[in-house]
Amino acid sequence: MRKKIKVGIIGAGRIGVIHATNIVKNFSDIEVKSIADIYADKIRDWAIGLGIKHVYDDYRSILADSEIDAVIICSPTNTHSQITIEAAQAGKHIFCEKPIDYDVDRIHAALNAVAQAGIKFQVGFNRRFDHNFKKVRELIQSGAIGDVQILKVTSRDPAPPPIEYVKVSGGMFLDMTIHDFDMVRYLTGSEVVEVYANAGVLVNPSIGEAGDVDTALISLKFKNGAIGMIDNCRQAVYGYDQRVEVLGTKGSIAVSNDTPTTVVVSTNDGVLSDKPKFFFLERYMESFAAEMAEFFGSIVNDTDTKVSGIDGLKPVLIGLAAKKSYEDGKPVKLEE
């Protein structure tokens, strides 16, 4: 029997709790040995109850532990690149939540540290591991619908985030739409070459006062000639709206929303079905476990990760281009 992989989790906010719980419950050959959070006292009882033996208020205690094989970085975005550099220098394999950073130079510095250390590095674009979107990519790659002509992505949250979060989020394009920028690359297998973003504040005026937008239509051109559209809104009152449609030269593919049940009730009063699952915790929980399985598999089998550092960089570049396009009111080429 091979020895257990020992993991340290950095950051115990919502996503850190999800990853810790998933690993403990789903991976018998992985040990979450430690977790670090600046509010260590508040999470200590929860962590110990989950079987995590060591709780620190400084992530460097995890990096200094020679038994730790890998770290899961779930801390605030403005710490990701620096912790990545330090973890790579400590020889730890790294799973880093998206985005690596908002600053391109800091992303390059982090990726250079990863390359020099020769460790595994995976970025947390979990939607690639969703059962629906994986199937769409497989069908496109197999040639089932021919060459992709049009790609439409709808991604709408059920409610806007708190204003305090908006102020530090990096903006909707780099916080919310970044998942969609990754998804269009993943599905088409092609790079975005031009972006045009039309956006506004139609949900909450306070979001605009914080310097952000909450509603957007983003037009994309791809290197392979395809065109795309991303439809974003911070609020869809009926639930978490996550749909995709792809038109190709031989046919089309459509992904509808996941619902709690597929039951449809038809009566004299109308036809009723369930609303979409409410938010990402319900919609994508299985994908969070699946991305971890991929990460640990790359360590055990010494294979490349499925979501590389470059995959972490490219959506940030598209997001920055979208932001510039919105501010300038014109299309922006990625080469700029």
Side-chain angles (χ1 to χ4, degrees), residues 212-230:
D212 199 8
V213 296
D214 56 33
T215 307
L217 288 175
I218 304 158
S219 178
L220 308 167
K221 291 183 179 180
F222 295 89
K223 187 175 181 180
N224 65 3
I227 56 177
M229 176 66 72
I230 297 172

Side-chain angles (χ1 to χ4, degrees), residues 130-273:
D130 172 73
H131 57 290
N132 288 326
F133 301 140
K134 281 184 67 177
K135 183 64 175 179
V136 173
R137 176 179 165 86
E138 289 169 4
L139 288 167
I140 291 173
Q141 293 294 311
S142 73
I145 62 167
D147 296 329
V148 173
Q149 297 167 304
I150 297 173
L151 170 64
K152 295 180 181 179
V153 175
T154 297
S155 181
R156 304 168 184 163
D157 287 351
I163 296 302
E164 292 308 310
Y165 175 82
V166 171
K167 292 177 180 178
V168 299
S169 69
M172 190 173 79
F173 297 133
L174 292 175
D175 173 57
M176 178 181 175
T177 322
I178 193 168
H179 276 292
D180 306 311
F181 292 144
D182 177 66
M183 184 53 57
V184 299
R185 294 184 64 244
Y186 173 67
L187 293 180
T188 63
S190 185
E191 298 295 347
V192 174
V193 295
E194 185 178 287
V195 181
Y196 176 58
N198 189 1
V201 181
L202 302 175
V203 173
N204 185 347
S206 296
I207 291 176
E209 293 167 6
D212 199 8
V213 296
D214 56 33
T215 307
L217 288 175
I218 304 158
S219 178
L220 308 167
K221 291 183 179 180
F222 295 89
K223 187 175 181 180
N224 65 3
I227 56 177
M229 176 66 72
I230 297 172
D231 163 350
N232 279 159
C233 190
R234 285 289 196 183
Q235 183 174 51
V237 296
Y238 50 85
Y240 194 39
D241 197 350
Q242 300 283 288
R243 290 172 286 142
V244 164
E245 181 184 359
V246 189
L247 176 68
T249 53
K250 296 181 181 178
S252 67
I253 306 170
V255 174
S256 300
N257 284 309
D258 273 11
T259 55
T261 75
T262 58
V263 173
V264 178
V265 180
S266 301
T267 70
N268 185 55
D269 297 322
V271 179
L272 299 174
S273 61

Side-chain angles (χ1 to χ4, degrees), residues 104-116:
V104 174
D105 289 338
R106 288 198 291 266
I107 293 175
H108 282 300
L111 298 186
N112 286 339
V114 166
Q116 290 172 9

Side-chain angles (χ1 to χ4, degrees), residues 10 59-60 63 71-90 92 94-117 119 121-124 309 312-313 316:
I10 299 172
Y59 68 86
R60 293 177 182 87
L63 301 185
V71 295
I72 315 296
I73 301 175
C74 307
S75 51
T77 296
N78 60 3
T79 67
H80 287 181
S81 59
Q82 182 58 36
I83 295 175
T84 293
I85 292 170
E86 293 178 36
Q89 292 172 343
K92 313 300 185 188
I94 301 166
F95 179 96
C96 181
E97 273 301 328
K98 64 83 190 170
I100 303 170
D101 205 297
Y102 302 132
D103 182 273
V104 174
D105 289 338
R106 288 198 291 266
I107 293 175
H108 282 300
L111 298 186
N112 286 339
V114 166
Q116 290 172 9
I119 47 89
F121 182 78
Q122 182 170 321
V123 180
L313 170 64
V316 173

